[in-house]
Amino acid sequence: MISPLLILFSSFFYHVALAGRTCPKPDDLPFAIVSPLKTSYEPGDQIVYTCQPGYVSHGNMRRFTCPFTGLWPINTLRCRPRVCPFAGILENGAVRYTSFEYPNTISFSCNAGFYLNGTNSAKCTEEGKWSPDLPVCAPMTCPLPPTPKFAELSAYKSLAGNRTLYGNRAVFKCLPHYAMFGNDTVTCTASGNWTELPECKEVKCPFPSRPDNGFVNYAAKEVLYYKDKATFGCHDTFVLDGPEEVECTKYGNWSAQPSCKASCKISVKKATVIYEGERVKIQEKFKNGMLHGQKVSFFCKNKEKKCSYTEDAQCIDGTFEIPKCFKEHSSLAFWKTDASDVKPC
Ligand SMILES: *[C@@H]1O[C@H](CO)[C@@H](O)[C@H](O)[C@H]1NC(C)=O
Ligand SMILES: *[C@@H]1O[C@H](CO)[C@@H](O)[C@H](O)[C@H]1NC(C)=O
Ligand SMILES: *[C@@H]1O[C@H](CO)[C@@H](O)[C@H](O)[C@H]1NC(C)=O
Ligand SMILES: *[C@@H]1O[C@H](CO)[C@@H](O)[C@H](O)[C@H]1NC(C)=O
Ligand SMILES: *[C@@H]1O[C@H](CO)[C@@H](O)[C@H](O)[C@H]1NC(C)=O
């Protein structure tokens, strides 16, 4: 049974509604949704504002009823984007971003020697979470380097499973008789591979030949290999030109080819010369001849200026040329002064 009062009340209400003014389509609010959305509302109709997914507001919801005046009340709702957790730091890498708000995307890169384990970008979702999960920059590693033929690994610092970090080195050594071509040191690169490996090649040298007027000694072996040595010497008055010891090089030749050079006979009977900074009598100092390479300075006269100067002479493989300006002093010409006693120019 319906109460007469209720009938009375509802008819009154109906009247008033008819008498009130309709509300217009409500104002658009950025990132908000109005429900239900219509072009006009009867007084008493209700609408609800909610923020779009990814946007939030304090309270997050506003409910309004269309008043008799037909004017919606002032709506202070503000929908703001959700903010994802701070993602500005990626260890050993970099994050590029404009903001951490929905619906922005941020991107990642790793420093040299590190690689991205994960995706190179992530989006701030409606729920305010990064998707996919943030990546990490993992250090680049290299596997154990392959050992070149005829070589052995002489230095290597490894992690678990024999891998090593970017920038680390491995050093190779060739087996005996083998010479290295390339760098003995390889480096683990930022791309996780190794720099170019060296090569080891077997190297033999021919037997060294005996120099004229001298001798050569080397190990009594069938074959001479890389790094084997030979020593040279010369007979009596001959002098070795070159090192005493030579080595078989990686090119299959000897590091040098020493030879024996003859000494010189002195063709002047008497002269004062300078040898190693001292005045000496050539006939006494070099009684037994001058060795290859030895050098003296002769005194010569400048007649016009009445002074003396020196000129060098060197024994080169049996040849010793006396400077042309030198005049041998005759013991008969006793009134003449020897050039070595004349004041220097
Ligand atoms: C990448 O990271 C995941 C966990 O974050 C880990 O399980 C996986 O082994 C990593 N992959 C590589 C290749 O390092
Ligand atoms: C690492 O390398 C060494 C030498 O090449 C080898 O003896 C060892 O078995 C390796 N270990 C692993 C875990 O691969
Ligand atoms: C060999 O490589 C290392 C680094 O990889 C470098 O420092 C060195 O200078 C190289 N040696 C030669 C002889 O090229
Ligand atoms: C190492 O890897 C990079 C990138 O994959 C490649 O460009 C380079 O040629 C490789 N280096 C060697 C020595 O294999
Ligand atoms: C040995 O051979 C190399 C390469 O052919 C050459 O450069 C070098 O000069 C030679 N050395 C000698 C001492 O002949």
Side-chain angles (χ1 to χ4, degrees):
M1 200 182 111
I2 297 165
S3 146
L5 184 63
L6 186 63
I7 291 166
L8 184 69
F9 183 76
S10 50
S11 81
F12 167 76
F13 195 82
Y14 180 66
H15 250 87
V16 170
L18 275 183
R21 302 171 64 180
T22 59
C23 287
K25 181 169 176 268
D27 285 344
D28 271 346
L29 206 61
F31 312 117
I33 300 167
V34 181
S35 169
L37 184 63
K38 295 195 288 189
T39 46
S40 75
Y41 299 81
E42 297 302 327
D45 281 356
Q46 282 199 338
I47 57 168
V48 173
Y49 277 92
T50 49
C51 287
Q52 285 175 10
Y55 295 84
V56 285
S57 170
H58 203 63
N60 205 18
M61 189 167 162
R62 288 289 155 91
R63 195 181 291 276
F64 297 103
T65 304
C66 175
F68 295 109
T69 56
L71 297 172
W72 291 109
I74 291 170
N75 186 355
T76 54
L77 183 76
R78 293 284 173 275
C79 290
R80 301 185 198 286
R82 275 189 198 275
V83 179
C84 277
F86 179 73
I89 291 176
L90 179 63
E91 238 179 288
N92 302 308
V95 181
R96 272 217 324 272
Y97 62 90
T98 46
S99 89
F100 298 136
E101 291 175 350
Y102 173 81
N104 276 306
T105 295
I106 59 178
S107 58
F108 313 101
S109 60
C110 292
N111 298 342
F114 293 85
Y115 71 93
L116 210 54
N117 183 358
T119 56
N120 60 7
S121 67
K123 192 178 171 202
C124 182
T125 64
E126 291 169 358
E127 292 79 38
K129 290 192 189 117
W130 293 111
S131 176
D133 285 343
L134 298 183
V136 295
C137 286
M140 207 60 153
T141 61
C142 288
L144 186 71
T147 301
K149 252 180 153 181
F150 310 119
E152 60 190 17
L153 199 56
S154 75
Y156 182 65
K157 201 169 58 187
S158 71
L159 306 167
N162 271 344
R163 296 190 72 89
T164 198
L165 286 176
Y166 160 60
N168 278 353
R169 293 168 177 201
V171 182
F172 294 105
K173 207 168 66 181
C174 290
L175 303 179
H177 306 337
Y178 290 83
M180 184 163 288
F181 293 84
N183 199 323
D184 66 342
T185 304
V186 294
T187 307
C188 174
T189 71
S191 356
N193 56 14
W194 293 94
T195 54
E196 209 182 335
L197 295 169
E199 269 186 279
C200 291
K201 292 183 190 160
E202 191 185 51
V203 172
K204 296 174 190 171
C205 276
F207 291 111
S209 49
R210 185 182 70 81
D212 288 343
N213 304 299
F215 52 88
V216 59
N217 292 320
Y218 47 85
K221 297 198 296 185
E222 262 170 50
V223 182
L224 296 179
Y225 289 106
Y226 175 59
K227 289 226 179 269
D228 278 342
K229 293 177 174 56
T231 55
F232 287 82
C234 294
H235 298 140
D236 45 77
T237 60
F238 288 83
V239 174
L240 196 65
D241 186 28
E244 220 165 280
E245 188 178 79
V246 300
E247 195 178 79
C248 174
T249 73
K250 66 185 198 174
Y251 305 110
N253 56 10
W254 293 94
S255 56
Q257 276 145 356
S259 58
C260 291
K261 296 287 163 73
S263 55
C264 302
K265 286 212 175 65
I266 305 300
S267 57
V268 290
K269 290 200 187 71
K270 274 176 82 175
T272 297
V273 295
I274 298 174
Y275 173 66
E276 291 182 340
E278 287 184 22
R279 292 166 79 99
V280 298
K281 291 194 163 40
I282 200 164
Q283 65 278 14
E284 289 169 16
K285 185 78 190 176
F286 300 105
K287 257 199 315 270
N288 303 320
M290 196 179 260
L291 296 178
H292 168 75
Q294 283 182 323
K295 192 158 89 176
V296 295
S297 302
F298 282 86
F299 287 96
C300 297
K301 268 189 202 165
N302 181 323
K303 292 223 173 67
E304 288 89 63
K305 293 189 184 159
K306 297 200 162 57
C307 59
S308 70
Y309 60 97
T310 59
E311 212 154 272
D312 294 346
Q314 190 174 21
C315 170
I316 297 180
D317 198 15
T319 306
F320 183 68
E321 280 186 40
I322 311 286
K324 291 203 168 51
C325 63
F326 175 76
K327 295 280 180 300
E328 195 165 353
H329 189 69
S330 162
S331 48
L332 296 175
F334 57 83
W335 62 91
K336 283 193 180 160
T337 317
D338 187 82
S340 63
D341 295 327
V342 174
K343 71 171 168 58
C345 294

